[in-house]
Amino acid sequence: MGNRDELLAAEQVTAENGAEPRRRDVTRVGLIVPSSNTTMETELPELFARQTAATGQRYTFHSARATLKSVTREELLAMVDKAADCAVAVSDADVDVIAYACLVAVMAQGPGAHTASEDVIARAASDNGHPAAVTSSAGALVRVLQGLGAGRVAMVAPYMKPLTAMVRDYVEGSGISVLDAASLEVEDNLAVGCLDPAQLPRIARELRREGAEAIVLSACVQMPSLPAVQEVEDELGVPVVTAATATTYEILRHLGHEPAIPGAGGLLDGRFSPVEAVR
């Protein structure tokens, strides 16, 4: 029993006011995801596992879910109404940072909406007694592109054409010209999560990308893309980012951790350093 007590004392810090214990050596990452999302909770842990292997920094993930089955404007706006409740739920885990991981739900509100969404989540967590840094996939994507100086991009999205056009308008509303936006026309969100990332290099090649300064290989947190990021970047010779890699980058920077993730593009292995990418 003595050894067990010593181990618990070494791993946990208990506040005198009765607050829950905190691990000294582990960072807690909170995610707010659509209920049908199957990708962010696989791609982000994989990326952070690579960060752990490179740096020794350790992370755990804690999610709250908001109902979303079909990627329609109506369901997306209904999900937005749940953001504050989800922030309260995930902040109960006393997380260090919260990522609002539904890019198109934010973008459906119009250009610049990520700022207000992040403020709502931060305020809800703080009012719940557990303040945390906050990012959103929508905000992370545009801030990373701006920080990279990518004034012209081409992108791939899984959405029906009207939603892809909305994402395009949102990105352009941030001062970034979208040269082309491929729309894969998948409405069911579970089906989006089953798309084959091995098809992305071909789709990226077919984009109208002359003059592009970056490629957005997945403008969606649900469309798998991680296995293709490095391949497409190596082939096309410009930075390749996704909703997941941009979100990962901002989480790391909010935590003060230098990105050291191999095999996921220059944004995360330290070759590209966006300027003032974190809000």
Side-chain angles (χ1 to χ4, degrees):
M1 290 296 292
N3 288 340
R4 178 177 178 274
D5 291 342
E6 290 173 6
L7 179 61
L8 289 173
E11 289 187 340
Q12 296 178 334
V13 176
T14 305
E16 292 181 0
N17 64 4
E20 67 271 31
R22 290 300 310 270
R23 293 286 301 260
R24 283 196 180 105
D25 59 344
V26 177
T27 296
R28 296 175 184 167
V29 178
L31 299 175
I32 299 174
V33 297
S35 58
S36 53
N37 189 279
T38 57
T39 300
M40 284 298 270
E41 292 159 308
T42 54
E43 288 197 347
L44 259 66
E46 168 60 26
L47 288 166
F48 279 89
R50 298 182 195 181
Q51 177 80 5
T52 297
T55 67
Q57 294 155 337
R58 299 172 61 195
Y59 308 87
T60 59
F61 295 87
H62 313 275
S63 298
R65 314 185 82 77
T67 300
L68 179 74
K69 296 181 180 179
S70 296
V71 191
T72 64
R73 183 177 177 83
E74 292 72 24
E75 286 201 34
L76 292 167
L77 292 175
M79 180 184 166
V80 168
D81 291 338
K82 305 295 185 184
D85 290 342
C86 287
V88 170
V90 78
S91 71
D92 279 344
D94 200 18
V95 295
D96 298 287
V97 60
I98 299 173
Y100 186 21
C102 188
L103 178 141
V104 74
V106 174
M107 291 188 175
Q109 301 170 76
H114 56 272
T115 300
S117 292
E118 291 164 358
D119 287 344
V120 165
I121 291 166
R123 185 164 55 252
S126 181
D127 289 348
N128 193 42
H130 298 290
V134 174
T135 186
S136 67
S137 295
L141 183 63
V142 297
R143 285 189 292 261
V144 162
L145 292 174
Q146 290 168 338
L148 290 171
R152 297 182 299 277
V153 304
M155 67 171 58
V156 182
Y159 314 119
M160 306 301 286
K161 288 181 180 178
L163 278 181
T164 300
M166 181 191 67
V167 172
R168 181 177 193 153
D169 290 345
Y170 193 98
V171 172
E172 292 193 327
S174 300
I176 299 162
S177 176
V178 178
L179 304 175
D180 194 15
S183 184
L184 304 186
E185 301 253 57
V186 181
E187 184 173 275
D188 181 85
N189 205 40
L190 278 176
V192 171
C194 294
L195 291 171
D196 184 1
Q199 300 301 315
L200 287 173
R202 173 188 58 80
I203 295 169
R205 287 184 210 109
E206 294 172 354
L207 290 168
R208 295 186 300 276
R209 50 188 167 77
E210 184 176 355
E213 295 163 307
I215 303 295
V216 180
L217 196 60
S218 176
C220 174
V221 296
Q222 172 71 332
M223 187 170 79
S225 57
L226 180 55
V229 171
Q230 192 66 59
E231 178 182 348
V232 173
E233 187 170 283
D234 291 344
E235 178 179 341
L236 301 186
V238 296
V240 171
V241 300
T242 72
T245 62
T247 303
T248 296
Y249 179 84
E250 284 212 343
I251 290 172
L252 288 169
R253 296 313 302 258
H254 274 305
L255 296 171
H257 298 175
E258 287 297 321
I261 299 171
L267 176 68
L268 293 182
D269 69 15
R271 285 179 293 128
F272 305 139
S273 298
V275 178
E276 297 182 355
V278 176
R279 174 173 174 257

